[in-house]
mmCIF file of all heavy atoms in Angstrom:
data_model
loop_
_atom_site.group_PDB
_atom_site.id
_atom_site.type_symbol
_atom_site.label_atom_id
_atom_site.label_comp_id
_atom_site.label_asym_id
_atom_site.label_seq_id
_atom_site.Cartn_x
_atom_site.Cartn_y
_atom_site.Cartn_z
ATOM 1 N N SER A 1 0.842 -1.196 0.000
ATOM 2 C CA SER A 1 0.000 0.000 0.000
ATOM 3 C C SER A 1 0.875 1.242 0.000
ATOM 4 O O SER A 1 1.642 1.469 0.938
ATOM 5 C CB SER A 1 -0.927 0.002 1.223
ATOM 6 O OG SER A 1 -1.714 1.187 1.268
ATOM 7 N N LEU A 2 0.782 2.026 -1.085
ATOM 8 C CA LEU A 2 1.386 3.357 -1.110
ATOM 9 C C LEU A 2 0.272 4.347 -0.778
ATOM 10 O O LEU A 2 -0.754 4.401 -1.483
ATOM 11 C CB LEU A 2 1.951 3.696 -2.484
ATOM 12 C CG LEU A 2 3.033 2.786 -3.067
ATOM 13 C CD1 LEU A 2 2.423 1.808 -4.059
ATOM 14 C CD2 LEU A 2 4.108 3.625 -3.760
ATOM 15 N N HIS A 3 0.431 5.129 0.281
ATOM 16 C CA HIS A 3 -0.661 5.987 0.716
ATOM 17 C C HIS A 3 -0.127 7.233 1.402
ATOM 18 O O HIS A 3 1.013 7.274 1.848
ATOM 19 C CB HIS A 3 -1.590 5.228 1.677
ATOM 20 C CG HIS A 3 -0.882 4.551 2.787
ATOM 21 N ND1 HIS A 3 -0.414 3.246 2.688
ATOM 22 C CD2 HIS A 3 -0.523 4.965 4.031
ATOM 23 C CE1 HIS A 3 0.182 2.898 3.811
ATOM 24 N NE2 HIS A 3 0.133 3.929 4.649
ATOM 25 N N GLN A 4 -0.982 8.232 1.483
ATOM 26 C CA GLN A 4 -0.619 9.434 2.223
ATOM 27 C C GLN A 4 -0.566 9.109 3.707
ATOM 28 O O GLN A 4 -1.502 8.548 4.265
ATOM 29 C CB GLN A 4 -1.637 10.546 1.968
ATOM 30 C CG GLN A 4 -1.300 11.851 2.677
ATOM 31 C CD GLN A 4 -2.361 12.914 2.458
ATOM 32 O OE1 GLN A 4 -2.919 13.026 1.368
ATOM 33 N NE2 GLN A 4 -2.640 13.698 3.494
ATOM 34 N N ASP A 5 0.529 9.466 4.319
ATOM 35 C CA ASP A 5 0.747 9.144 5.726
ATOM 36 C C ASP A 5 -0.363 9.729 6.605
ATOM 37 O O ASP A 5 -0.651 10.922 6.540
ATOM 38 C CB ASP A 5 2.105 9.710 6.150
ATOM 39 C CG ASP A 5 2.550 9.238 7.519
ATOM 40 O OD1 ASP A 5 2.108 8.166 7.949
ATOM 41 O OD2 ASP A 5 3.365 9.951 8.135
ATOM 42 N N ARG A 6 -0.990 8.875 7.389
ATOM 43 C CA ARG A 6 -1.991 9.249 8.388
ATOM 44 C C ARG A 6 -3.153 10.056 7.793
ATOM 45 O O ARG A 6 -3.639 11.007 8.388
ATOM 46 C CB ARG A 6 -1.336 10.006 9.547
ATOM 47 C CG ARG A 6 -0.569 9.080 10.476
ATOM 48 C CD ARG A 6 0.196 9.828 11.529
ATOM 49 N NE ARG A 6 1.459 10.340 10.993
ATOM 50 C CZ ARG A 6 2.435 10.829 11.739
ATOM 51 N NH1 ARG A 6 2.298 10.893 13.046
ATOM 52 N NH2 ARG A 6 3.545 11.255 11.176
ATOM 53 N N ASN A 7 -3.602 9.638 6.633
ATOM 54 C CA ASN A 7 -4.782 10.262 6.036
ATOM 55 C C ASN A 7 -6.023 9.516 6.511
ATOM 56 O O ASN A 7 -6.769 9.995 7.356
ATOM 57 C CB ASN A 7 -4.649 10.271 4.507
ATOM 58 C CG ASN A 7 -5.822 10.938 3.815
ATOM 59 O OD1 ASN A 7 -6.966 10.857 4.257
ATOM 60 N ND2 ASN A 7 -5.558 11.613 2.704
ATOM 61 N N TYR A 8 -6.258 8.314 5.978
ATOM 62 C CA TYR A 8 -7.398 7.495 6.420
ATOM 63 C C TYR A 8 -7.070 6.038 6.151
ATOM 64 O O TYR A 8 -6.584 5.731 5.061
ATOM 65 C CB TYR A 8 -8.678 7.878 5.669
ATOM 66 C CG TYR A 8 -9.894 7.120 6.167
ATOM 67 C CD1 TYR A 8 -10.620 7.594 7.255
ATOM 68 C CD2 TYR A 8 -10.268 5.923 5.578
ATOM 69 C CE1 TYR A 8 -11.729 6.888 7.731
ATOM 70 C CE2 TYR A 8 -11.364 5.211 6.057
ATOM 71 C CZ TYR A 8 -12.090 5.701 7.121
ATOM 72 O OH TYR A 8 -13.173 4.998 7.602
ATOM 73 N N PRO A 9 -7.326 5.184 7.104
ATOM 74 C CA PRO A 9 -7.563 5.464 8.525
ATOM 75 C C PRO A 9 -6.306 6.058 9.171
ATOM 76 O O PRO A 9 -5.190 5.771 8.739
ATOM 77 C CB PRO A 9 -7.889 4.095 9.113
ATOM 78 C CG PRO A 9 -8.266 3.233 7.948
ATOM 79 C CD PRO A 9 -7.451 3.746 6.804
ATOM 80 N N THR A 10 -6.513 6.836 10.221
ATOM 81 C CA THR A 10 -5.377 7.502 10.850
ATOM 82 C C THR A 10 -4.566 6.564 11.735
ATOM 83 O O THR A 10 -3.440 6.897 12.113
ATOM 84 C CB THR A 10 -5.862 8.694 11.698
ATOM 85 O OG1 THR A 10 -6.811 8.217 12.668
ATOM 86 C CG2 THR A 10 -6.510 9.753 10.823
ATOM 87 N N ASP A 11 -5.121 5.404 12.086
ATOM 88 C CA ASP A 11 -4.440 4.501 13.017
ATOM 89 C C ASP A 11 -3.916 3.235 12.350
ATOM 90 O O ASP A 11 -3.551 2.277 13.030
ATOM 91 C CB ASP A 11 -5.381 4.127 14.167
ATOM 92 C CG ASP A 11 -6.661 3.458 13.688
ATOM 93 O OD1 ASP A 11 -6.937 3.490 12.472
ATOM 94 O OD2 ASP A 11 -7.389 2.907 14.533
ATOM 95 N N THR A 12 -3.868 3.191 11.031
ATOM 96 C CA THR A 12 -3.289 2.044 10.332
ATOM 97 C C THR A 12 -2.337 2.560 9.253
ATOM 98 O O THR A 12 -2.265 3.747 8.976
ATOM 99 C CB THR A 12 -4.368 1.159 9.666
ATOM 100 O OG1 THR A 12 -4.997 1.901 8.595
ATOM 101 C CG2 THR A 12 -5.429 0.733 10.667
ATOM 102 N N GLY A 13 -1.588 1.644 8.647
ATOM 103 C CA GLY A 13 -0.732 2.002 7.526
ATOM 104 C C GLY A 13 0.714 2.239 7.887
ATOM 105 O O GLY A 13 1.497 2.680 7.036
ATOM 106 N N GLY A 14 1.108 1.928 9.118
ATOM 107 C CA GLY A 14 2.492 2.133 9.509
ATOM 108 C C GLY A 14 3.442 1.167 8.832
ATOM 109 O O GLY A 14 3.117 -0.006 8.598
ATOM 110 N N ALA A 15 4.637 1.643 8.527
ATOM 111 C CA ALA A 15 5.616 0.826 7.807
ATOM 112 C C ALA A 15 6.105 -0.352 8.636
ATOM 113 O O ALA A 15 6.638 -1.318 8.085
ATOM 114 C CB ALA A 15 6.796 1.688 7.380
ATOM 115 N N GLU A 16 5.916 -0.282 9.941
ATOM 116 C CA GLU A 16 6.386 -1.376 10.801
ATOM 117 C C GLU A 16 5.505 -2.616 10.722
ATOM 118 O O GLU A 16 5.901 -3.698 11.181
ATOM 119 C CB GLU A 16 6.470 -0.899 12.256
ATOM 120 C CG GLU A 16 5.143 -0.698 12.946
ATOM 121 C CD GLU A 16 4.433 0.599 12.570
ATOM 122 O OE1 GLU A 16 5.014 1.397 11.788
ATOM 123 O OE2 GLU A 16 3.305 0.820 13.057
ATOM 124 N N VAL A 17 4.319 -2.525 10.136
ATOM 125 C CA VAL A 17 3.412 -3.670 10.025
ATOM 126 C C VAL A 17 3.856 -4.491 8.812
ATOM 127 O O VAL A 17 3.657 -4.078 7.664
ATOM 128 C CB VAL A 17 1.944 -3.221 9.886
ATOM 129 C CG1 VAL A 17 1.028 -4.438 9.807
ATOM 130 C CG2 VAL A 17 1.557 -2.333 11.067
ATOM 131 N N ARG A 18 4.423 -5.659 9.049
ATOM 132 C CA ARG A 18 5.083 -6.413 7.982
ATOM 133 C C ARG A 18 4.446 -7.751 7.685
ATOM 134 O O ARG A 18 4.896 -8.470 6.798
ATOM 135 C CB ARG A 18 6.558 -6.632 8.367
ATOM 136 C CG ARG A 18 7.327 -5.358 8.672
ATOM 137 C CD ARG A 18 7.666 -4.604 7.387
ATOM 138 N NE ARG A 18 8.739 -5.302 6.708
ATOM 139 C CZ ARG A 18 8.643 -5.835 5.466
ATOM 140 N NH1 ARG A 18 7.525 -5.763 4.802
ATOM 141 N NH2 ARG A 18 9.671 -6.440 4.931
ATOM 142 N N GLY A 19 3.384 -8.107 8.434
ATOM 143 C CA GLY A 19 2.800 -9.434 8.310
ATOM 144 C C GLY A 19 3.092 -10.232 9.562
ATOM 145 O O GLY A 19 4.025 -9.929 10.317
ATOM 146 N N THR A 20 2.289 -11.270 9.802
ATOM 147 C CA THR A 20 2.431 -12.047 11.028
ATOM 148 C C THR A 20 2.841 -13.483 10.727
ATOM 149 O O THR A 20 2.509 -14.041 9.680
ATOM 150 C CB THR A 20 1.106 -12.054 11.812
ATOM 151 O OG1 THR A 20 0.079 -12.650 11.014
ATOM 152 C CG2 THR A 20 0.691 -10.651 12.184
ATOM 153 N N GLY A 21 3.556 -14.084 11.689
ATOM 154 C CA GLY A 21 3.945 -15.479 11.560
ATOM 155 C C GLY A 21 4.739 -15.742 10.300
ATOM 156 O O GLY A 21 5.670 -15.008 9.954
ATOM 157 N N ALA A 22 4.335 -16.789 9.579
ATOM 158 C CA ALA A 22 5.021 -17.166 8.345
ATOM 159 C C ALA A 22 4.873 -16.120 7.248
ATOM 160 O O ALA A 22 5.605 -16.151 6.256
ATOM 161 C CB ALA A 22 4.486 -18.513 7.851
ATOM 162 N N ALA A 23 3.944 -15.187 7.433
ATOM 163 C CA ALA A 23 3.707 -14.144 6.432
ATOM 164 C C ALA A 23 4.523 -12.885 6.690
ATOM 165 O O ALA A 23 4.339 -11.885 5.989
ATOM 166 C CB ALA A 23 2.217 -13.789 6.387
ATOM 167 N N HIS A 24 5.423 -12.925 7.668
ATOM 168 C CA HIS A 24 6.240 -11.739 7.925
ATOM 169 C C HIS A 24 7.030 -11.366 6.667
ATOM 170 O O HIS A 24 7.683 -12.208 6.052
ATOM 171 C CB HIS A 24 7.220 -11.984 9.071
ATOM 172 C CG HIS A 24 8.070 -10.783 9.374
ATOM 173 N ND1 HIS A 24 7.603 -9.701 10.089
ATOM 174 C CD2 HIS A 24 9.347 -10.472 9.027
ATOM 175 C CE1 HIS A 24 8.540 -8.794 10.187
ATOM 176 N NE2 HIS A 24 9.624 -9.238 9.547
ATOM 177 N N GLY A 25 6.934 -10.105 6.291
ATOM 178 C CA GLY A 25 7.605 -9.617 5.094
ATOM 179 C C GLY A 25 6.714 -9.532 3.879
ATOM 180 O O GLY A 25 7.118 -8.980 2.851
ATOM 181 N N THR A 26 5.484 -10.065 3.977
ATOM 182 C CA THR A 26 4.588 -10.030 2.810
ATOM 183 C C THR A 26 3.559 -8.913 2.903
ATOM 184 O O THR A 26 2.625 -8.860 2.102
ATOM 185 C CB THR A 26 3.861 -11.376 2.615
ATOM 186 O OG1 THR A 26 3.072 -11.659 3.770
ATOM 187 C CG2 THR A 26 4.857 -12.494 2.378
ATOM 188 N N ASN A 27 3.713 -8.007 3.864
ATOM 189 C CA ASN A 27 2.906 -6.786 3.907
ATOM 190 C C ASN A 27 3.860 -5.597 3.885
ATOM 191 O O ASN A 27 4.785 -5.512 4.692
ATOM 192 C CB ASN A 27 2.036 -6.733 5.164
ATOM 193 C CG ASN A 27 1.057 -5.565 5.113
ATOM 194 O OD1 ASN A 27 0.091 -5.586 4.363
ATOM 195 N ND2 ASN A 27 1.315 -4.530 5.906
ATOM 196 N N LEU A 28 3.639 -4.705 2.939
ATOM 197 C CA LEU A 28 4.538 -3.575 2.741
ATOM 198 C C LEU A 28 3.705 -2.297 2.734
ATOM 199 O O LEU A 28 2.974 -2.028 1.773
ATOM 200 C CB LEU A 28 5.264 -3.746 1.396
ATOM 201 C CG LEU A 28 6.631 -3.102 1.227
ATOM 202 C CD1 LEU A 28 7.650 -3.798 2.110
ATOM 203 C CD2 LEU A 28 7.057 -3.185 -0.233
ATOM 204 N N ASN A 29 3.795 -1.525 3.815
ATOM 205 C CA ASN A 29 3.141 -0.227 3.870
ATOM 206 C C ASN A 29 4.157 0.855 3.537
ATOM 207 O O ASN A 29 5.240 0.907 4.147
ATOM 208 C CB ASN A 29 2.547 0.025 5.260
ATOM 209 C CG ASN A 29 1.263 -0.753 5.479
ATOM 210 O OD1 ASN A 29 0.503 -0.990 4.545
ATOM 211 N ND2 ASN A 29 1.021 -1.158 6.715
ATOM 212 N N ILE A 30 3.801 1.709 2.594
ATOM 213 C CA ILE A 30 4.684 2.784 2.149
ATOM 214 C C ILE A 30 3.956 4.110 2.374
ATOM 215 O O ILE A 30 3.330 4.663 1.461
ATOM 216 C CB ILE A 30 5.078 2.604 0.670
ATOM 217 C CG1 ILE A 30 5.706 1.222 0.450
ATOM 218 C CG2 ILE A 30 6.030 3.713 0.226
ATOM 219 C CD1 ILE A 30 5.971 0.883 -1.002
ATOM 220 N N PRO A 31 3.968 4.615 3.612
ATOM 221 C CA PRO A 31 3.333 5.908 3.874
ATOM 222 C C PRO A 31 4.190 7.031 3.303
ATOM 223 O O PRO A 31 5.408 7.070 3.517
ATOM 224 C CB PRO A 31 3.274 5.962 5.410
ATOM 225 C CG PRO A 31 4.402 5.088 5.869
ATOM 226 C CD PRO A 31 4.562 4.022 4.823
ATOM 227 N N LEU A 32 3.569 7.931 2.573
ATOM 228 C CA LEU A 32 4.280 9.034 1.924
ATOM 229 C C LEU A 32 3.772 10.366 2.461
ATOM 230 O O LEU A 32 2.586 10.502 2.784
ATOM 231 C CB LEU A 32 4.085 8.968 0.405
ATOM 232 C CG LEU A 32 4.639 7.709 -0.278
ATOM 233 C CD1 LEU A 32 4.185 7.639 -1.729
ATOM 234 C CD2 LEU A 32 6.165 7.666 -0.177
ATOM 235 N N PRO A 33 4.625 11.367 2.549
ATOM 236 C CA PRO A 33 4.199 12.639 3.122
ATOM 237 C C PRO A 33 3.280 13.411 2.179
ATOM 238 O O PRO A 33 3.383 13.268 0.951
ATOM 239 C CB PRO A 33 5.520 13.377 3.332
ATOM 240 C CG PRO A 33 6.443 12.803 2.306
ATOM 241 C CD PRO A 33 6.057 11.359 2.181
ATOM 242 N N PRO A 34 2.383 14.221 2.742
ATOM 243 C CA PRO A 34 1.553 15.076 1.885
ATOM 244 C C PRO A 34 2.435 15.906 0.956
ATOM 245 O O PRO A 34 3.526 16.342 1.336
ATOM 246 C CB PRO A 34 0.823 15.974 2.898
ATOM 247 C CG PRO A 34 0.799 15.180 4.158
ATOM 248 C CD PRO A 34 2.090 14.408 4.178
ATOM 249 N N GLY A 35 1.968 16.065 -0.276
ATOM 250 C CA GLY A 35 2.731 16.827 -1.249
ATOM 251 C C GLY A 35 3.612 15.987 -2.151
ATOM 252 O O GLY A 35 4.221 16.514 -3.083
ATOM 253 N N THR A 36 3.688 14.674 -1.888
ATOM 254 C CA THR A 36 4.466 13.811 -2.777
ATOM 255 C C THR A 36 3.917 13.925 -4.197
ATOM 256 O O THR A 36 2.727 13.778 -4.425
ATOM 257 C CB THR A 36 4.413 12.355 -2.309
ATOM 258 O OG1 THR A 36 5.022 12.249 -1.023
ATOM 259 C CG2 THR A 36 5.144 11.436 -3.286
ATOM 260 N N GLY A 37 4.764 14.194 -5.116
ATOM 261 C CA GLY A 37 4.353 14.373 -6.506
ATOM 262 C C GLY A 37 4.801 13.240 -7.393
ATOM 263 O O GLY A 37 5.145 12.138 -6.923
ATOM 264 N N HIS A 38 4.814 13.509 -8.684
ATOM 265 C CA HIS A 38 5.095 12.485 -9.690
ATOM 266 C C HIS A 38 6.443 11.804 -9.434
ATOM 267 O O HIS A 38 6.525 10.565 -9.369
ATOM 268 C CB HIS A 38 5.083 13.120 -11.085
ATOM 269 C CG HIS A 38 5.471 12.181 -12.179
ATOM 270 N ND1 HIS A 38 4.565 11.344 -12.795
ATOM 271 C CD2 HIS A 38 6.676 11.923 -12.761
ATOM 272 C CE1 HIS A 38 5.193 10.617 -13.710
ATOM 273 N NE2 HIS A 38 6.465 10.957 -13.710
ATOM 274 N N LYS A 39 7.484 12.587 -9.260
ATOM 275 C CA LYS A 39 8.823 12.014 -9.113
ATOM 276 C C LYS A 39 8.908 11.142 -7.874
ATOM 277 O O LYS A 39 9.511 10.061 -7.898
ATOM 278 C CB LYS A 39 9.863 13.132 -9.060
ATOM 279 C CG LYS A 39 11.296 12.625 -9.006
ATOM 280 C CD LYS A 39 12.286 13.783 -9.037
ATOM 281 C CE LYS A 39 13.724 13.269 -8.961
ATOM 282 N NZ LYS A 39 14.698 14.401 -8.964
ATOM 283 N N GLY A 40 8.290 11.588 -6.781
ATOM 284 C CA GLY A 40 8.328 10.825 -5.543
ATOM 285 C C GLY A 40 7.624 9.492 -5.655
ATOM 286 O O GLY A 40 8.112 8.462 -5.143
ATOM 287 N N TYR A 41 6.469 9.480 -6.315
ATOM 288 C CA TYR A 41 5.750 8.218 -6.497
ATOM 289 C C TYR A 41 6.574 7.235 -7.322
ATOM 290 O O TYR A 41 6.649 6.039 -7.004
ATOM 291 C CB TYR A 41 4.394 8.462 -7.154
ATOM 292 C CG TYR A 41 3.272 8.603 -6.154
ATOM 293 C CD1 TYR A 41 2.882 9.854 -5.689
ATOM 294 C CD2 TYR A 41 2.604 7.491 -5.647
ATOM 295 C CE1 TYR A 41 1.861 10.001 -4.756
ATOM 296 C CE2 TYR A 41 1.586 7.615 -4.722
ATOM 297 C CZ TYR A 41 1.214 8.869 -4.281
ATOM 298 O OH TYR A 41 0.230 8.989 -3.353
#
């Protein structure tokens, strides 16, 4: 998930959430700061 940091929901989407158990590493949160433009994406 590439998303605006703390937009919605405000309590999910942190980069530290990576998956649980055998699935660790298969969840990738990429929170980006407001104002990220074409080059940043």
Side-chain angles (χ1 to χ4, degrees):
S1 178
L2 301 99
H3 50 270
Q4 182 183 322
D5 190 25
R6 284 174 279 192
N7 182 325
Y8 184 86
T10 57
D11 59 347
T12 67
E16 72 282 357
V17 181
R18 304 285 286 119
T20 61
H24 180 78
T26 61
N27 188 72
L28 207 68
N29 284 328
I30 305 173
L32 298 170
T36 297
H38 175 86
K39 184 177 179 181
Y41 266 94

